[in-house]
Each structure stands twice: as structure tokens, then as C-alpha cells.
Amino acid sequence: MSTVALTSMQRMKWQFIISLVIIAMLVTACWFAMNRLISEKHHYMDLATLAEQQSGQVSRLAFFATIMATTEDIDEFTKARSQVGRSINKLKSANQILSYDANGRRAPRVVNDNLCYIYKSPSVNLEALLKRYLEHTYAVYNADMDALHTGTYDYLYVSDYGPHALEPILDAVADEYDRIAKTSTNNLENLMLGGLIVVLIIVVVNSVQMYSIGIPRRKKSGTDKPGNGEQVVSH
């Protein structure tokens, strides 16, 4: 084998090794990206579910507050009060999780312009609205059966004014978290797809190069053998 052929084979060998290393690195990166994709998807979907539950808790508070204000049965009043207390705790807990970042600072769990506007802007200020609403729900929860009726201001706020103001904003928060979840997972999916495409390109390029080197060698070995059209002279 000539020196040029040996050099070509050595170069091809190192190129093949380097390609295998790159493929291994890309496949490993895709594996980590897939794990992160699954983790982030679960994280964002949990936040979206929490955001959706806030609106549901407001509706539950209005429903059970109405029972408290209208019933004349002390047992039914007590049961409705316990449901109001549970809904208060769930709404407060969800708001705590969504309103504080990972470092405990008072900020949306996921920060973007829309969420900052909803939580902090003077025109919306979800934090202030939820705080005021919870104050009135506590007042309803602590009210005596004889003192609570459908004309009580705290009841009117919990059953009418509060839900009317809060539910559209809470739905907007849930929609925003859902959009963030989809955007994040789509970006990671595109990254994984790009890595797999690069792996495929490397495999195809190496296969073509190995095939192109193999053809001349097979042709040369074929021409060295006596065959079609050649006569072997015998003595």
C-alpha cells in the first residue's frame, strides 16, 4: 500500500474516532435535555394547575359563603364554614407558591413582562386584590350565624364583588403560565431535534466518505486480477 493511501487511511481513522466522540457527546446532551424537558414540563404544568385552582377556590368560597349566609341549620352552617376555611387555606397556599420566587423574594415564581404587570402594576395589582379578598373571606369565616346574612358587606364582597374582579385576572395568570410551559417545552424539543439532526448528518458524511474510499480500492484490486478480455499465456 502506498504512503498516500496509508496517510488517507490514518486521516480517515482519526476523523471517524472524532466523529464518534462528537456523536457520543451529542447523544449525552440530548439525554440530559430530555430529562430537563420532562422536569421543566412537570414544573410548569404544576404551576399552571395551581394558577387554575385559584379561580376555582374563589368560586368555592362564594358558594359556601352563600350557604353560610342563607342557611338556618347550624350543622349546615358549620360544614359550610369548614369548607370556607379549607378554600381560604388552599387559595392562600397557591398564592404563596406563585407569588414568591425560589429565593423567597416577593415576585412571580416565573418572571416575564405579562406576569409582572398582572402582579405589580397599579392598574391590576393582583397581590392587593387577593389580600383584600382574603380579608373579607376571613371576616365571613369568623362571623356568627346570626350576624351573617345576604346583606352583609363582607358576604357581598366574597360572593359578588371579589369574584367579579378576581376571576378574569386569575384566568389570565393561568393562561400565562400555560403559555410559558408550552414555550419552554417547545424550545427544549427544538434543541433536542437540532442535536439529533447533527448526529444524523455526521453519520451520513462519515458513511459517504468511507464508501468513497472503498470504491477505488475495490476497483484497483479488480484490475490487478486477470479476467475479462485478458489471456493467460501458458507455456
Side-chain angles (χ1 to χ4, degrees):
M1 187 179 292
S2 66
T3 305
V4 175
L6 285 172
T7 304
S8 177
M9 290 298 295
Q10 287 287 337
R11 186 174 66 250
M12 187 63 194
K13 180 178 115 177
W14 283 110
Q15 183 177 347
F16 185 70
I17 292 172
I18 292 171
S19 298
L20 288 178
V21 171
I22 293 173
I23 290 172
M25 292 173 63
L26 286 171
V27 170
T28 303
C30 287
W31 184 82
F32 280 110
M34 182 180 66
N35 284 342
R36 184 179 173 185
L37 171 64
I38 294 171
S39 176
E40 287 205 1
K41 187 173 183 178
H42 288 165
H43 172 67
Y44 284 124
M45 292 309 297
D46 288 343
L47 292 179
T49 301
L50 270 178
E52 290 171 0
Q53 288 176 354
Q54 288 186 113
S55 182
Q57 295 305 325
V58 170
S59 298
R60 279 175 54 84
L61 283 166
F63 175 75
F64 287 110
T66 299
I67 294 177
M68 288 179 65
T70 57
T71 187
E72 296 180 358
D73 186 341
I74 186 62
D75 290 334
E76 189 176 17
F77 179 86
T78 303
K79 290 177 183 178
R81 169 183 274 172
S82 68
Q83 292 298 324
V84 168
R86 288 182 60 187
S87 294
I88 288 173
N89 290 333
K90 287 183 178 180
L91 180 60
K92 187 176 179 180
S93 175
N95 182 52
Q96 288 278 345
I97 293 171
L98 294 171
S99 300
Y100 287 85
D101 63 16
N103 298 319
R105 294 182 300 232
R106 195 161 190 74
R109 174 69 60 166
V110 179
V111 178
N112 69 5
D113 292 340
N114 291 336
L115 285 175
C116 286
Y117 179 80
I118 291 171
Y119 275 92
K120 299 297 182 183
S121 70
S123 59
V124 181
N125 204 340
L126 177 59
E127 281 294 316
L129 282 174
L130 276 173
K131 182 180 178 181
R132 191 179 309 119
Y133 184 75
L134 286 170
E135 288 173 355
H136 289 289
T137 57
Y138 277 120
V140 169
Y141 176 78
N142 293 319
D144 294 330
M145 184 175 177
D146 295 334
L148 185 64
H149 52 81
T150 55
T152 306
Y153 178 72
D154 289 321
Y155 164 74
L156 289 173
Y157 196 96
V158 171
S159 64
D160 190 6
Y161 304 144
H164 180 73
L166 277 173
E167 285 181 351
I169 302 174
L170 293 175
D171 288 342
V173 171
D175 291 342
E176 188 63 24
Y177 274 109
D178 188 55
R179 189 189 66 80
I180 292 171
K182 290 178 180 177
T183 301
S184 176
T185 53
N186 287 339
N187 289 340
L188 281 173
E189 285 173 357
N190 292 335
L191 182 62
M192 289 176 59
L193 179 61
L196 292 175
I197 290 173
V198 172
V199 169
L200 182 60
I201 291 173
I202 292 173
V203 170
V204 170
V205 169
N206 277 276
S207 299
V208 170
Q209 287 182 341
M210 292 177 69
Y211 182 74
S212 63
I213 288 177
I215 288 178
R217 293 182 62 194
R218 286 197 298 269
K219 286 184 177 179
K220 187 175 184 305
S221 62
T223 55
D224 289 341
K225 296 178 182 179
N228 300 333
E230 294 185 356
Q231 294 182 357
V232 180
V233 179
S234 59
H235 297 282

